[in-house]
Amino acid sequence: MTPFLLSQILVGMAICTDLLSFQGKGRKHILVCLIISSSLISLHFVLLEHWTAAGLGLLAGIRFVTSYFTTSKKAMSVFVCCSLLIGIVTYSGVLSLLSCTGAICNTVGSFCSTDRRMRKIMFLGTCFWLTHNILAHSPTAVLLECLFLSSNIVGYYRYYVVRPAQTGTFSH
């Protein structure tokens, strides 16, 4: 089996956990799924030799574990700095810029105290990762980000558009 094929299989497995992530209501459920997904995605980028994305994926797993227990802005700042450091040390052009920006957005999102705000910020981060994965020529990772975006939108719609409208208290 080639490294490319194995990388695509790993992302396929990550897709399953990503789809589960935003279909639950609680932020802790979302974070557990994202811990697993981040680990698989990091291995995927190792196999493709995209070192900035691989390092940021590993850092994301650690970040999600940390944010499971705290929404501390100090912890968030440490992870933003670590993301920047990884981006600088492994810099290889536009892919590094895209993945680093996406990671920083997702870092800010994962330390939000509510899943509603987390969903909004991670939507932006996912857009950067989607662009990265298109340029990195990883079709399954592109699918992953598209599904992640879709799942996030569906979950947000279910919990924050339909339900408030049903109770007569529509809010954004």
Side-chain angles (χ1 to χ4, degrees), residues 22-64:
F22 281 117
Q23 295 313 306
K25 175 78 167 89
R27 71 178 290 282
K28 289 192 173 188
H29 166 83
I30 294 168
L31 291 170
V32 167
C33 292
L34 294 177
I35 290 164
I36 296 166
S37 178
S38 295
S39 302
L40 294 167
I41 293 167
S42 180
L43 288 172
H44 154 261
F45 284 122
V46 166
L47 291 169
L48 296 179
E49 299 180 3
H50 290 295
W51 302 115
T52 303
L56 291 169
L58 179 60
L59 182 64
I62 297 166
R63 179 188 76 225
F64 288 131

mmCIF file of all heavy atoms in Angstrom, residues 22-64:
data_model
loop_
_atom_site.group_PDB
_atom_site.id
_atom_site.type_symbol
_atom_site.label_atom_id
_atom_site.label_comp_id
_atom_site.label_asym_id
_atom_site.label_seq_id
_atom_site.Cartn_x
_atom_site.Cartn_y
_atom_site.Cartn_z
ATOM 1 N N PHE A 22 -20.179 17.433 15.266
ATOM 2 C CA PHE A 22 -21.112 18.542 15.394
ATOM 3 C C PHE A 22 -22.568 18.109 15.431
ATOM 4 O O PHE A 22 -23.464 18.946 15.418
ATOM 5 C CB PHE A 22 -20.887 19.568 14.288
ATOM 6 C CG PHE A 22 -19.705 20.456 14.570
ATOM 7 C CD1 PHE A 22 -18.607 20.442 13.740
ATOM 8 C CD2 PHE A 22 -19.694 21.287 15.678
ATOM 9 C CE1 PHE A 22 -17.518 21.248 13.999
ATOM 10 C CE2 PHE A 22 -18.613 22.096 15.952
ATOM 11 C CZ PHE A 22 -17.524 22.083 15.110
ATOM 12 N N GLN A 23 -22.832 16.797 15.487
ATOM 13 C CA GLN A 23 -24.209 16.357 15.597
ATOM 14 C C GLN A 23 -24.631 16.185 17.047
ATOM 15 O O GLN A 23 -25.785 15.935 17.340
ATOM 16 C CB GLN A 23 -24.442 15.085 14.782
ATOM 17 C CG GLN A 23 -24.266 15.310 13.290
ATOM 18 C CD GLN A 23 -24.978 16.558 12.779
ATOM 19 O OE1 GLN A 23 -26.168 16.737 12.986
ATOM 20 N NE2 GLN A 23 -24.234 17.441 12.122
ATOM 21 N N GLY A 24 -23.681 16.308 17.955
ATOM 22 C CA GLY A 24 -24.009 16.315 19.378
ATOM 23 C C GLY A 24 -24.147 17.749 19.843
ATOM 24 O O GLY A 24 -23.621 18.664 19.224
ATOM 25 N N LYS A 25 -24.827 17.946 20.942
ATOM 26 C CA LYS A 25 -25.079 19.304 21.428
ATOM 27 C C LYS A 25 -23.929 19.863 22.253
ATOM 28 O O LYS A 25 -23.587 21.021 22.152
ATOM 29 C CB LYS A 25 -26.366 19.313 22.254
ATOM 30 C CG LYS A 25 -26.681 20.636 22.914
ATOM 31 C CD LYS A 25 -27.260 21.630 21.946
ATOM 32 C CE LYS A 25 -27.873 22.822 22.627
ATOM 33 N NZ LYS A 25 -26.994 23.917 22.870
ATOM 34 N N GLY A 26 -23.311 19.060 23.069
ATOM 35 C CA GLY A 26 -22.327 19.575 24.005
ATOM 36 C C GLY A 26 -20.943 19.778 23.408
ATOM 37 O O GLY A 26 -20.517 19.041 22.523
ATOM 38 N N ARG A 27 -20.233 20.784 23.906
ATOM 39 C CA ARG A 27 -18.892 21.070 23.411
ATOM 40 C C ARG A 27 -17.938 19.927 23.733
ATOM 41 O O ARG A 27 -17.024 19.654 22.976
ATOM 42 C CB ARG A 27 -18.392 22.425 23.917
ATOM 43 C CG ARG A 27 -18.049 22.517 25.371
ATOM 44 C CD ARG A 27 -17.526 23.886 25.777
ATOM 45 N NE ARG A 27 -16.234 24.206 25.265
ATOM 46 C CZ ARG A 27 -15.095 23.744 25.755
ATOM 47 N NH1 ARG A 27 -15.108 22.940 26.796
ATOM 48 N NH2 ARG A 27 -13.950 24.085 25.217
ATOM 49 N N LYS A 28 -18.137 19.217 24.873
ATOM 50 C CA LYS A 28 -17.224 18.126 25.226
ATOM 51 C C LYS A 28 -17.357 16.955 24.245
ATOM 52 O O LYS A 28 -16.369 16.344 23.876
ATOM 53 C CB LYS A 28 -17.427 17.694 26.674
ATOM 54 C CG LYS A 28 -16.906 18.766 27.635
ATOM 55 C CD LYS A 28 -16.808 18.289 29.050
ATOM 56 C CE LYS A 28 -16.123 19.375 29.877
ATOM 57 N NZ LYS A 28 -15.818 18.936 31.223
ATOM 58 N N HIS A 29 -18.567 16.661 23.819
ATOM 59 C CA HIS A 29 -18.774 15.620 22.797
ATOM 60 C C HIS A 29 -18.035 16.012 21.516
ATOM 61 O O HIS A 29 -17.352 15.187 20.902
ATOM 62 C CB HIS A 29 -20.265 15.442 22.506
ATOM 63 C CG HIS A 29 -20.538 14.651 21.267
ATOM 64 N ND1 HIS A 29 -20.541 13.272 21.259
ATOM 65 C CD2 HIS A 29 -20.771 15.042 19.988
ATOM 66 C CE1 HIS A 29 -20.776 12.857 20.018
ATOM 67 N NE2 HIS A 29 -20.923 13.912 19.237
ATOM 68 N N ILE A 30 -18.190 17.253 21.119
ATOM 69 C CA ILE A 30 -17.532 17.751 19.909
ATOM 70 C C ILE A 30 -16.022 17.599 20.053
ATOM 71 O O ILE A 30 -15.336 17.104 19.152
ATOM 72 C CB ILE A 30 -17.904 19.227 19.647
ATOM 73 C CG1 ILE A 30 -19.399 19.350 19.308
ATOM 74 C CG2 ILE A 30 -17.050 19.819 18.526
ATOM 75 C CD1 ILE A 30 -19.920 20.783 19.308
ATOM 76 N N LEU A 31 -15.488 17.975 21.204
ATOM 77 C CA LEU A 31 -14.033 17.946 21.411
ATOM 78 C C LEU A 31 -13.461 16.534 21.414
ATOM 79 O O LEU A 31 -12.384 16.302 20.860
ATOM 80 C CB LEU A 31 -13.672 18.692 22.696
ATOM 81 C CG LEU A 31 -13.891 20.211 22.629
ATOM 82 C CD1 LEU A 31 -13.740 20.834 24.014
ATOM 83 C CD2 LEU A 31 -12.942 20.858 21.632
ATOM 84 N N VAL A 32 -14.157 15.564 22.007
ATOM 85 C CA VAL A 32 -13.667 14.181 22.005
ATOM 86 C C VAL A 32 -13.532 13.669 20.570
ATOM 87 O O VAL A 32 -12.524 13.067 20.190
ATOM 88 C CB VAL A 32 -14.579 13.257 22.844
ATOM 89 C CG1 VAL A 32 -14.262 11.788 22.585
ATOM 90 C CG2 VAL A 32 -14.436 13.571 24.321
ATOM 91 N N CYS A 33 -14.541 13.925 19.773
ATOM 92 C CA CYS A 33 -14.484 13.507 18.364
ATOM 93 C C CYS A 33 -13.328 14.199 17.638
ATOM 94 O O CYS A 33 -12.629 13.579 16.830
ATOM 95 C CB CYS A 33 -15.804 13.815 17.666
ATOM 96 S SG CYS A 33 -17.190 12.811 18.231
ATOM 97 N N LEU A 34 -13.107 15.466 17.940
ATOM 98 C CA LEU A 34 -12.046 16.217 17.268
ATOM 99 C C LEU A 34 -10.652 15.782 17.702
ATOM 100 O O LEU A 34 -9.697 15.869 16.926
ATOM 101 C CB LEU A 34 -12.248 17.721 17.489
ATOM 102 C CG LEU A 34 -13.498 18.300 16.845
ATOM 103 C CD1 LEU A 34 -13.644 19.778 17.185
ATOM 104 C CD2 LEU A 34 -13.511 18.089 15.340
ATOM 105 N N ILE A 35 -10.506 15.271 18.917
ATOM 106 C CA ILE A 35 -9.219 14.729 19.378
ATOM 107 C C ILE A 35 -8.836 13.540 18.500
ATOM 108 O O ILE A 35 -7.709 13.442 18.004
ATOM 109 C CB ILE A 35 -9.295 14.305 20.863
ATOM 110 C CG1 ILE A 35 -9.401 15.540 21.751
ATOM 111 C CG2 ILE A 35 -8.088 13.452 21.255
ATOM 112 C CD1 ILE A 35 -9.854 15.244 23.186
ATOM 113 N N ILE A 36 -9.771 12.648 18.294
ATOM 114 C CA ILE A 36 -9.516 11.456 17.464
ATOM 115 C C ILE A 36 -9.240 11.868 16.023
ATOM 116 O O ILE A 36 -8.272 11.413 15.407
ATOM 117 C CB ILE A 36 -10.725 10.493 17.548
ATOM 118 C CG1 ILE A 36 -10.891 9.972 18.983
ATOM 119 C CG2 ILE A 36 -10.559 9.330 16.557
ATOM 120 C CD1 ILE A 36 -12.224 9.309 19.249
ATOM 121 N N SER A 37 -10.067 12.726 15.498
ATOM 122 C CA SER A 37 -9.922 13.169 14.117
ATOM 123 C C SER A 37 -8.577 13.858 13.879
ATOM 124 O O SER A 37 -7.902 13.588 12.882
ATOM 125 C CB SER A 37 -11.069 14.123 13.768
ATOM 126 O OG SER A 37 -10.923 14.598 12.460
ATOM 127 N N SER A 38 -8.177 14.735 14.787
ATOM 128 C CA SER A 38 -6.916 15.464 14.632
ATOM 129 C C SER A 38 -5.722 14.524 14.564
ATOM 130 O O SER A 38 -4.790 14.739 13.786
ATOM 131 C CB SER A 38 -6.710 16.432 15.795
ATOM 132 O OG SER A 38 -7.680 17.417 15.784
ATOM 133 N N SER A 39 -5.747 13.492 15.380
ATOM 134 C CA SER A 39 -4.650 12.511 15.375
ATOM 135 C C SER A 39 -4.554 11.807 14.027
ATOM 136 O O SER A 39 -3.463 11.638 13.476
ATOM 137 C CB SER A 39 -4.866 11.487 16.494
ATOM 138 O OG SER A 39 -4.939 12.142 17.735
ATOM 139 N N LEU A 40 -5.692 11.397 13.503
ATOM 140 C CA LEU A 40 -5.709 10.719 12.200
ATOM 141 C C LEU A 40 -5.267 11.659 11.070
ATOM 142 O O LEU A 40 -4.507 11.258 10.175
ATOM 143 C CB LEU A 40 -7.104 10.169 11.917
ATOM 144 C CG LEU A 40 -7.580 9.050 12.847
ATOM 145 C CD1 LEU A 40 -9.080 8.804 12.679
ATOM 146 C CD2 LEU A 40 -6.786 7.778 12.603
ATOM 147 N N ILE A 41 -5.719 12.885 11.132
ATOM 148 C CA ILE A 41 -5.359 13.862 10.095
ATOM 149 C C ILE A 41 -3.865 14.180 10.152
ATOM 150 O O ILE A 41 -3.210 14.316 9.118
ATOM 151 C CB ILE A 41 -6.224 15.129 10.225
ATOM 152 C CG1 ILE A 41 -7.687 14.798 9.890
ATOM 153 C CG2 ILE A 41 -5.709 16.241 9.327
ATOM 154 C CD1 ILE A 41 -8.668 15.885 10.276
ATOM 155 N N SER A 42 -3.323 14.281 11.351
ATOM 156 C CA SER A 42 -1.890 14.540 11.498
ATOM 157 C C SER A 42 -1.072 13.427 10.843
ATOM 158 O O SER A 42 -0.126 13.694 10.092
ATOM 159 C CB SER A 42 -1.522 14.675 12.972
ATOM 160 O OG SER A 42 -0.142 14.925 13.110
ATOM 161 N N LEU A 43 -1.434 12.191 11.115
ATOM 162 C CA LEU A 43 -0.743 11.052 10.482
ATOM 163 C C LEU A 43 -0.868 11.108 8.964
ATOM 164 O O LEU A 43 0.071 10.780 8.234
ATOM 165 C CB LEU A 43 -1.299 9.730 11.013
ATOM 166 C CG LEU A 43 -0.932 9.383 12.446
ATOM 167 C CD1 LEU A 43 -1.701 8.147 12.902
ATOM 168 C CD2 LEU A 43 0.570 9.170 12.582
ATOM 169 N N HIS A 44 -2.013 11.516 8.485
ATOM 170 C CA HIS A 44 -2.254 11.670 7.053
ATOM 171 C C HIS A 44 -1.237 12.638 6.448
ATOM 172 O O HIS A 44 -0.617 12.362 5.417
ATOM 173 C CB HIS A 44 -3.705 12.156 6.859
ATOM 174 C CG HIS A 44 -3.971 12.931 5.625
ATOM 175 N ND1 HIS A 44 -4.017 14.304 5.621
ATOM 176 C CD2 HIS A 44 -4.222 12.555 4.354
ATOM 177 C CE1 HIS A 44 -4.281 14.729 4.404
ATOM 178 N NE2 HIS A 44 -4.415 13.683 3.609
ATOM 179 N N PHE A 45 -1.044 13.792 7.118
ATOM 180 C CA PHE A 45 -0.106 14.779 6.586
ATOM 181 C C PHE A 45 1.350 14.340 6.732
ATOM 182 O O PHE A 45 2.189 14.724 5.920
ATOM 183 C CB PHE A 45 -0.346 16.151 7.214
ATOM 184 C CG PHE A 45 -1.556 16.846 6.657
ATOM 185 C CD1 PHE A 45 -2.594 17.240 7.481
ATOM 186 C CD2 PHE A 45 -1.660 17.104 5.290
ATOM 187 C CE1 PHE A 45 -3.705 17.881 6.965
ATOM 188 C CE2 PHE A 45 -2.770 17.736 4.754
ATOM 189 C CZ PHE A 45 -3.794 18.124 5.602
ATOM 190 N N VAL A 46 1.654 13.533 7.733
ATOM 191 C CA VAL A 46 3.004 12.960 7.839
ATOM 192 C C VAL A 46 3.277 12.108 6.609
ATOM 193 O O VAL A 46 4.338 12.213 5.981
ATOM 194 C CB VAL A 46 3.165 12.128 9.133
ATOM 195 C CG1 VAL A 46 4.429 11.268 9.085
ATOM 196 C CG2 VAL A 46 3.190 13.031 10.362
ATOM 197 N N LEU A 47 2.323 11.266 6.246
ATOM 198 C CA LEU A 47 2.499 10.397 5.081
ATOM 199 C C LEU A 47 2.651 11.188 3.784
ATOM 200 O O LEU A 47 3.328 10.745 2.858
ATOM 201 C CB LEU A 47 1.326 9.417 4.967
ATOM 202 C CG LEU A 47 1.285 8.344 6.062
ATOM 203 C CD1 LEU A 47 -0.044 7.601 6.029
ATOM 204 C CD2 LEU A 47 2.447 7.375 5.917
ATOM 205 N N LEU A 48 2.024 12.370 3.733
ATOM 206 C CA LEU A 48 2.130 13.213 2.544
ATOM 207 C C LEU A 48 3.312 14.183 2.614
ATOM 208 O O LEU A 48 3.546 14.952 1.682
ATOM 209 C CB LEU A 48 0.829 14.003 2.334
ATOM 210 C CG LEU A 48 -0.413 13.177 2.036
ATOM 211 C CD1 LEU A 48 -1.628 14.085 1.883
ATOM 212 C CD2 LEU A 48 -0.216 12.321 0.792
ATOM 213 N N GLU A 49 4.024 14.151 3.736
ATOM 214 C CA GLU A 49 5.200 15.005 3.970
ATOM 215 C C GLU A 49 4.861 16.495 3.921
ATOM 216 O O GLU A 49 5.653 17.315 3.469
ATOM 217 C CB GLU A 49 6.344 14.647 3.025
ATOM 218 C CG GLU A 49 6.829 13.223 3.203
ATOM 219 C CD GLU A 49 7.968 12.849 2.278
ATOM 220 O OE1 GLU A 49 8.455 13.698 1.503
ATOM 221 O OE2 GLU A 49 8.379 11.682 2.341
ATOM 222 N N HIS A 50 3.707 16.836 4.444
ATOM 223 C CA HIS A 50 3.306 18.233 4.632
ATOM 224 C C HIS A 50 3.516 18.527 6.122
ATOM 225 O O HIS A 50 2.621 18.333 6.943
ATOM 226 C CB HIS A 50 1.851 18.464 4.214
ATOM 227 C CG HIS A 50 1.627 18.368 2.750
ATOM 228 N ND1 HIS A 50 2.186 19.248 1.849
ATOM 229 C CD2 HIS A 50 0.905 17.491 2.012
ATOM 230 C CE1 HIS A 50 1.821 18.914 0.622
ATOM 231 N NE2 HIS A 50 1.043 17.848 0.702
ATOM 232 N N TRP A 51 4.717 18.976 6.455
ATOM 233 C CA TRP A 51 5.163 19.010 7.846
ATOM 234 C C TRP A 51 4.468 20.080 8.687
ATOM 235 O O TRP A 51 4.219 19.849 9.880
ATOM 236 C CB TRP A 51 6.684 19.133 7.903
ATOM 237 C CG TRP A 51 7.319 17.989 7.164
ATOM 238 C CD1 TRP A 51 8.061 18.052 6.027
ATOM 239 C CD2 TRP A 51 7.204 16.602 7.480
ATOM 240 N NE1 TRP A 51 8.418 16.786 5.624
ATOM 241 C CE2 TRP A 51 7.903 15.877 6.491
ATOM 242 C CE3 TRP A 51 6.566 15.886 8.498
ATOM 243 C CZ2 TRP A 51 8.001 14.487 6.498
ATOM 244 C CZ3 TRP A 51 6.656 14.502 8.501
ATOM 245 C CH2 TRP A 51 7.369 13.815 7.501
ATOM 246 N N THR A 52 4.141 21.218 8.110
ATOM 247 C CA THR A 52 3.423 22.231 8.887
ATOM 248 C C THR A 52 2.061 21.673 9.291
ATOM 249 O O THR A 52 1.680 21.728 10.472
ATOM 250 C CB THR A 52 3.249 23.545 8.095
ATOM 251 O OG1 THR A 52 4.530 24.023 7.692
ATOM 252 C CG2 THR A 52 2.545 24.608 8.929
ATOM 253 N N ALA A 53 1.336 21.137 8.340
ATOM 254 C CA ALA A 53 0.010 20.584 8.629
ATOM 255 C C ALA A 53 0.096 19.402 9.595
ATOM 256 O O ALA A 53 -0.748 19.256 10.482
ATOM 257 C CB ALA A 53 -0.672 20.162 7.332
ATOM 258 N N ALA A 54 1.116 18.569 9.456
ATOM 259 C CA ALA A 54 1.283 17.429 10.363
ATOM 260 C C ALA A 54 1.526 17.903 11.790
ATOM 261 O O ALA A 54 0.906 17.409 12.739
ATOM 262 C CB ALA A 54 2.443 16.545 9.892
ATOM 263 N N GLY A 55 2.421 18.883 11.942
ATOM 264 C CA GLY A 55 2.697 19.418 13.274
ATOM 265 C C GLY A 55 1.491 20.107 13.881
ATOM 266 O O GLY A 55 1.187 19.950 15.074
ATOM 267 N N LEU A 56 0.773 20.855 13.061
ATOM 268 C CA LEU A 56 -0.418 21.552 13.546
ATOM 269 C C LEU A 56 -1.534 20.566 13.892
ATOM 270 O O LEU A 56 -2.305 20.791 14.827
ATOM 271 C CB LEU A 56 -0.891 22.575 12.513
ATOM 272 C CG LEU A 56 0.049 23.766 12.334
ATOM 273 C CD1 LEU A 56 -0.358 24.577 11.107
ATOM 274 C CD2 LEU A 56 0.095 24.633 13.576
ATOM 275 N N GLY A 57 -1.611 19.462 13.157
ATOM 276 C CA GLY A 57 -2.604 18.430 13.468
ATOM 277 C C GLY A 57 -2.322 17.778 14.807
ATOM 278 O O GLY A 57 -3.235 17.552 15.610
ATOM 279 N N LEU A 58 -1.050 17.488 15.054
ATOM 280 C CA LEU A 58 -0.668 16.915 16.346
ATOM 281 C C LEU A 58 -0.958 17.914 17.471
ATOM 282 O O LEU A 58 -1.516 17.561 18.512
ATOM 283 C CB LEU A 58 0.810 16.534 16.334
ATOM 284 C CG LEU A 58 1.366 15.937 17.611
ATOM 285 C CD1 LEU A 58 0.635 14.658 17.978
ATOM 286 C CD2 LEU A 58 2.854 15.673 17.448
ATOM 287 N N LEU A 59 -0.573 19.160 17.243
ATOM 288 C CA LEU A 59 -0.843 20.202 18.230
ATOM 289 C C LEU A 59 -2.354 20.349 18.457
ATOM 290 O O LEU A 59 -2.798 20.566 19.592
ATOM 291 C CB LEU A 59 -0.244 21.533 17.778
ATOM 292 C CG LEU A 59 -0.411 22.709 18.733
ATOM 293 C CD1 LEU A 59 0.329 22.450 20.050
ATOM 294 C CD2 LEU A 59 0.100 23.996 18.081
ATOM 295 N N ALA A 60 -3.144 20.206 17.413
ATOM 296 C CA ALA A 60 -4.602 20.312 17.548
ATOM 297 C C ALA A 60 -5.146 19.242 18.483
ATOM 298 O O ALA A 60 -6.022 19.525 19.310
ATOM 299 C CB ALA A 60 -5.279 20.214 16.181
ATOM 300 N N GLY A 61 -4.643 18.030 18.357
ATOM 301 C CA GLY A 61 -5.084 16.967 19.263
ATOM 302 C C GLY A 61 -4.800 17.321 20.714
ATOM 303 O O GLY A 61 -5.665 17.157 21.597
ATOM 304 N N ILE A 62 -3.605 17.829 20.968
ATOM 305 C CA ILE A 62 -3.228 18.246 22.322
ATOM 306 C C ILE A 62 -4.091 19.426 22.771
ATOM 307 O O ILE A 62 -4.543 19.487 23.915
ATOM 308 C CB ILE A 62 -1.723 18.599 22.366
ATOM 309 C CG1 ILE A 62 -0.877 17.361 22.054
ATOM 310 C CG2 ILE A 62 -1.341 19.191 23.720
ATOM 311 C CD1 ILE A 62 0.583 17.662 21.739
ATOM 312 N N ARG A 63 -4.339 20.340 21.848
ATOM 313 C CA ARG A 63 -5.164 21.508 22.138
ATOM 314 C C ARG A 63 -6.594 21.092 22.503
ATOM 315 O O ARG A 63 -7.183 21.608 23.455
ATOM 316 C CB ARG A 63 -5.182 22.435 20.925
ATOM 317 C CG ARG A 63 -6.028 23.667 21.098
ATOM 318 C CD ARG A 63 -6.147 24.437 19.804
ATOM 319 N NE ARG A 63 -7.076 23.776 18.902
ATOM 320 C CZ ARG A 63 -6.853 23.571 17.614
ATOM 321 N NH1 ARG A 63 -5.747 23.959 17.036
ATOM 322 N NH2 ARG A 63 -7.760 22.968 16.867
ATOM 323 N N PHE A 64 -7.153 20.150 21.759
ATOM 324 C CA PHE A 64 -8.514 19.713 22.054
ATOM 325 C C PHE A 64 -8.591 19.011 23.407
ATOM 326 O O PHE A 64 -9.572 19.165 24.133
ATOM 327 C CB PHE A 64 -9.057 18.815 20.942
ATOM 328 C CG PHE A 64 -9.387 19.542 19.668
ATOM 329 C CD1 PHE A 64 -8.932 19.070 18.453
ATOM 330 C CD2 PHE A 64 -10.150 20.702 19.673
ATOM 331 C CE1 PHE A 64 -9.231 19.723 17.264
ATOM 332 C CE2 PHE A 64 -10.462 21.373 18.503
ATOM 333 C CZ PHE A 64 -9.994 20.883 17.287
#
